[in-house]
Amino acid sequence: MDVGLDGEGKRADAARRQALLAEALGPGGFCVRTDPRAYFAWWELPAPWRADTFTAAAAAHGIAVTPGTAFAVDPRRTPDAVRLGLASAPEAELLRALRTLAAVAAAGPPADGR
């Protein structure tokens, strides 16, 4: 994200990044909640993924995501979801990371559950 962008420029930048998100995760039929003006998205992971397991799998690929537990008020009611930050990485790197995450999600968690 270019910090020198005005409001209109930031909205356009966010829209481009949201388009990359849709390009990478849309074909997989994943449940992603977001706003076209946002620099983040909430991804409800497909079963049998758990947020902590997916976060570790993403980290193994050098990609940071935030597990839903970080946003939960009641730890007994935490969705298996992760927050995706879309603002920091250059667009080409963001698209590559999102495609990697889609492939990781589609492959499923490791057999040992880690």
Side-chain angles (χ1 to χ4, degrees):
M1 175 179 77
D2 183 347
V3 294
L5 295 175
D6 63 6
E8 181 93 11
K10 287 182 182 179
R11 282 188 291 277
D13 182 56
R16 282 192 312 275
R17 291 167 182 279
Q18 290 288 336
L20 296 176
L21 175 70
E23 179 182 332
L25 299 184
F30 299 114
C31 181
V32 179
R33 296 174 192 265
T34 192
D35 181 283
R37 299 161 298 211
Y39 280 110
F40 66 90
W42 186 252
W43 183 6
E44 295 179 18
L45 298 167
W49 279 107
R50 293 187 346 246
D52 58 340
T53 307
F54 188 80
T55 300
H61 290 274
I63 303 168
V65 299
T66 307
T69 54
F71 303 96
V73 175
D74 182 350
R76 295 168 297 171
R77 297 184 49 155
T78 303
D80 285 315
V82 294
R83 184 181 187 270
L84 304 173
L86 307 176
S88 299
E91 290 180 23
E93 187 178 326
L94 175 62
L95 181 58
R96 183 174 38 79
L98 291 169
R99 286 179 174 160
T100 299
L101 292 174
V104 167
D112 64 4
R114 286 189 242 157

